[in-house]
Amino acid sequence: MRALPNMTVVACCDAEEMKRFMDASLAWKGPIYIRLAKGGDPVVSRPENGFAIGKAITMRDSMSRTPVVLMTTGVMTTNALKAADILHEEGIDTSVVHFHTIKPMDSAAVIEHARSARLVVTIEEGIAIGGFGSAVTDILVDELGPHMPWMKRIALPDSFSKNYGVQNDLFEVYGLSPKQIARTVIDKVGILGA
């Protein structure tokens, strides 16, 4: 959907954020593609963070000068926040930035958080090709070029699932559970020598 001209693409992290998005969508000009969760997801959004189409929300801000930054969208934001808690226990300072709008992407937020990061990890429950991680990568290549941080994209493979079940079970199959996300980050940080 990102490739369609003038298409807005939104993936809220929970039902409360979806309500805020619906209010914001009333005055929006043009078509909007909305990726919905199945419902019943924990509420992690906060009304005080507001909501504006095309504006990312920092859900957890690092105290480090060179943090790991988890950039995420939709219901993966919940798993990213839990993974950040695990990483904190392992001594890895982590920011979590939620992009409820994948198009138009908040380029300024991508650049601001990535500029000093030692590692940027994108997390999505969609296929990696042409998805959220690709959008982040495009921005970083165009804006930071050879000065962009190391990246890791966590997403679904380019294949049909051979597994069926509840959402959390499928997260486990595809490495999208909080523990698996944290393990991927720990492994990548170890490779970087940080």
Side-chain angles (χ1 to χ4, degrees):
M1 297 306 289
R2 244 185 1 110
L4 295 177
N6 303 314
M7 180 62 72
T8 298
V9 179
V10 174
C12 294
C13 65
D14 59 39
E16 292 303 311
E17 186 173 69
M18 179 59 74
K19 291 176 187 175
R20 290 188 284 280
F21 160 66
M22 294 307 289
D23 288 340
S25 72
L26 296 174
W28 191 257
K29 303 287 186 218
I32 303 174
Y33 173 82
I34 306 166
R35 183 165 183 161
L36 295 172
K38 293 185 178 188
D41 299 297
V43 173
V44 295
S45 66
R46 297 184 296 274
E48 61 268 21
N49 287 338
F51 187 97
I53 294 173
K55 196 80 176 136
I57 298 172
T58 302
M59 303 291 280
R60 179 184 181 129
D61 213 355
S62 164
M63 296 296 124
S64 172
R65 288 187 358 207
T66 56
V68 168
V69 180
L70 305 181
M71 296 187 181
T72 185
T73 188
V75 296
M76 284 291 93
T77 299
T78 300
N79 289 9
L81 287 165
K82 290 177 182 175
D85 289 340
I86 296 167
L87 292 167
H88 177 74
E89 291 173 12
E90 295 292 326
I92 299 173
D93 199 14
T94 308
S95 293
V96 177
V97 187
H98 169 54
F99 291 81
H100 49 69
T101 310
I102 299 165
K103 183 183 175 190
M105 178 74 77
D106 188 347
S107 299
V110 171
I111 295 163
E112 174 192 343
H113 288 279
R115 192 178 301 278
S116 63
R118 62 177 157 164
L119 174 65
V120 170
V121 179
T122 61
I123 308 163
E124 61 189 303
E125 63 165 338
I127 293 173
I129 298 170
F132 170 69
S134 294
V136 170
T137 303
D138 290 348
I139 291 166
L140 293 178
V141 167
D142 288 347
E143 298 299 325
L144 299 182
H147 305 290
M148 64 184 278
W150 286 96
M151 282 195 68
K152 173 67 178 165
R153 295 187 305 156
I154 302 175
L156 299 178
D158 183 24
S159 62
F160 290 107
S161 178
K162 294 182 174 75
N163 300 287
Y164 301 94
V166 296
Q167 190 175 40
N168 285 338
D169 291 344
L170 292 174
F171 289 164
E172 289 284 339
V173 169
Y174 292 109
L176 294 169
S177 75
K179 286 181 182 176
Q180 292 167 315
I181 292 167
R183 180 81 264 159
T184 298
V185 171
I186 290 165
D187 291 348
K188 189 69 174 176
V189 167
I191 290 169
L192 298 176

